Amino acid sequence: MVGVTLLLVGLLEVAIRVRRAWAERAPAGPPTYVVGDPRKESWNAEYKREFEAARRLNWRSYVYFRRAPIEGKEISVDSMGYRVTPQPTEPAVPVARVRLFGGSTMWGEPLRAAHTIPAEVARRLQPLAGAGARIDVTNAGETGYVFTQEVLQLLLDLRAGIRPDLVVFYDGINDVAAAVQRGVAGEPQNEFKRDAEFRLGRQLEAAGSESPLQRDVRTAGTLARLLFARMAIVQWAQARNAGAPRVYVGADSLVASLVRVYEQNARLVEYLAAQYGFVPVYVWQPTLHVSEKQLNPYEQQLRTAIESDSFQVRVQQVHQRVPRLLDSVMRNIAPGRFVDASGSFKGDTQPVFVDRTGHNTENAIPTIVDTFWGVLSRETAHMLLTRSAQACLLYTSDAADE
């Protein structure tokens, strides 16, 4: 009887897994490919292979993780965990250094190396450097990062001796999602996973009074429970008995919390900027949740999916209210250096969004950079002009002394 029961459970487990795998492969609804969608391009297969290879993460204190080094045709990650941006490398010493922070949209998912936001910025900045000079651009974005993680990464970079001249923060999507997920702003995404990982680690640690046998038995029991929880039949049963849908914290409370956290993070950045001599620029990114572009059939399909998901509905409600409040707050903190790009693509017909998370097509990147290019180019030109004037004064002073 035990053997037959185990056999039936095993067969049911296999059947559920096969059905789930088949459902994941089957297209949902009408064809989703549109012009500009990376998944339709000839280079997509090779890109996907490199992207899967680049999913390996290394633990990083304070910010949780960064990508492991990898070298590919379209995706390369350096020893610091930063995605490599195509740009000039000579002369060795650049006239300015620019670092761009953000989540996966800044990192460049699902874009080729030459079509990311940092790559577009690098192309536009080089002419400002002048003949025989260059401006170095670093893509410090990382999948899932929120503004607070980026501030911590900047702090770690400064502590390590890195001295940027301009810093761009490109945020919004991840901060809102994390706030809705946790019910309060200021924490990274999926913090509940970090909590579970910590508790698991504590469970697997040996207690001081345990014998080796007791420790091994307890460890085996913990691993058995984890294996049981990962069984498809268990997950299927849990899904069928999920109970009442989750109730998310009200949009007004989340908006107030998110604006407060963003404001305090910006104040910290402004203090660091004053101490270390760099200029920060802040950008609130566009998202499908509130975009006023003319949606193509695929984007409309994504919007419909958003409106049928309670989590995404709350995310949408927060996105609708935050930009106006942030714009008002940031006028006092960073006058002329905060850009609300949420209204980008209004009335536009070009394909922009490839998923409901907010990742973009390659042809949308120049328009995104347009939103903050005026501020970035102005600050870059001003910084270079100031340095040039200081160099002339120093040269004149030295000449007079001679």
Side-chain angles (χ1 to χ4, degrees), residues 26-351:
T32 57
Y33 293 145
V34 294
V35 176
D37 188 337
R39 293 169 299 179
K40 189 180 180 182
E41 304 297 337
S42 59
W43 49 263
N44 181 58
E46 182 176 1
Y47 175 90
K48 285 181 65 176
R49 286 194 295 270
E50 292 187 6
F51 181 75
E52 288 301 317
R55 291 174 68 90
R56 188 165 60 90
L57 303 174
N58 287 335
W59 174 259
R60 289 292 178 87
S61 299
Y62 303 108
V63 295
Y64 287 161
F65 60 85
R66 289 211 75 95
R67 308 259 177 168
I70 182 177
E71 185 174 351
K73 179 181 178 182
E74 298 298 347
I75 300 177
S76 294
V77 178
D78 65 20
S79 60
M80 295 291 292
Y82 296 133
R83 185 173 181 181
V84 177
T85 298
Q87 59 187 310
T89 57
E90 295 293 336
V93 180
V95 294
R97 291 180 170 86
V98 179
R99 300 180 83 77
L100 297 102
F101 292 88
S104 55
T105 47
M106 176 61 74
W107 184 87
E109 180 186 340
L111 310 174
R112 290 174 293 174
H115 298 272
T116 64
I117 292 175
E120 180 70 16
V121 168
R123 276 192 295 272
R124 298 190 186 194
L125 283 177
Q126 299 313 318
L128 300 182
R134 71 179 180 95
I135 295 176
D136 182 73
V137 175
T138 299
N139 183 351
E142 184 56 89
T143 299
Y145 271 26
V146 297
F147 191 11
T148 302
Q149 282 173 292
E150 296 157 21
V151 174
L152 289 172
Q153 183 64 70
L154 172 63
L155 184 63
L156 294 173
D157 290 345
L158 294 172
R159 189 182 70 176
I162 297 171
R163 295 294 181 265
D165 298 293
L166 293 105
V167 171
V168 177
F169 293 98
Y170 184 77
D171 295 294
I173 293 174
N174 292 339
D175 290 82
V176 172
V180 175
Q181 189 181 65
R182 295 290 286 181
V184 62
E187 295 186 3
Q189 289 196 84
N190 300 318
E191 189 73 357
F192 65 93
K193 292 183 179 180
R194 307 294 85 78
D195 179 53
E197 290 161 0
F198 176 79
R199 287 187 283 106
L200 175 61
R202 299 290 291 177
Q203 291 172 9
L204 295 177
E205 285 183 357
S209 59
E210 282 185 324
S211 67
L213 178 60
Q214 289 175 320
R215 180 190 62 201
D216 292 342
V217 170
R218 181 171 53 79
T219 299
T222 300
L223 295 177
R225 287 196 301 272
L226 289 174
L227 180 62
F228 180 76
R230 289 185 62 84
M231 291 180 62
I233 188 172
V234 173
Q235 295 174 352
W236 172 80
Q238 290 175 336
R240 290 181 62 86
N241 297 276
R246 178 179 174 181
V247 177
Y248 295 98
V249 173
D252 290 339
S253 175
L254 290 173
V255 168
S257 176
L258 201 152
V259 171
R260 179 186 60 80
V261 169
Y262 193 98
E263 175 188 359
Q264 296 305 318
N265 277 335
R267 290 187 185 279
L268 289 172
V269 172
E270 291 295 313
Y271 176 80
L272 291 173
Q275 297 300 310
Y276 289 91
F278 63 85
V279 178
V281 175
Y282 310 86
V283 185
W284 190 260
Q285 64 193 116
T287 171
L288 177 63
H289 290 79
V290 295
S291 178
E292 295 182 43
K293 75 177 296 291
Q294 294 185 29
L295 303 181
N296 59 41
Y298 175 53
E299 291 170 328
Q300 185 58 60
Q301 183 182 357
L302 294 173
R303 177 72 68 81
T304 300
I306 287 173
E307 295 168 352
S308 62
D309 184 320
S310 60
F311 174 82
Q312 294 294 338
V313 167
R314 181 67 83 236
V315 168
Q316 186 178 50
Q317 292 169 345
V318 175
H319 271 298
Q320 290 169 342
R321 307 180 195 187
V322 167
R324 178 175 53 83
L325 296 175
L326 273 184
D327 187 60
S328 176
V329 167
M330 293 299 290
R331 287 178 187 175
N332 297 322
I333 299 174
R337 289 183 283 109
F338 174 78
V339 178
D340 174 16
S342 61
S344 304
F345 305 104
K346 184 175 182 179
D348 205 329
T349 59
Q350 68 171 318

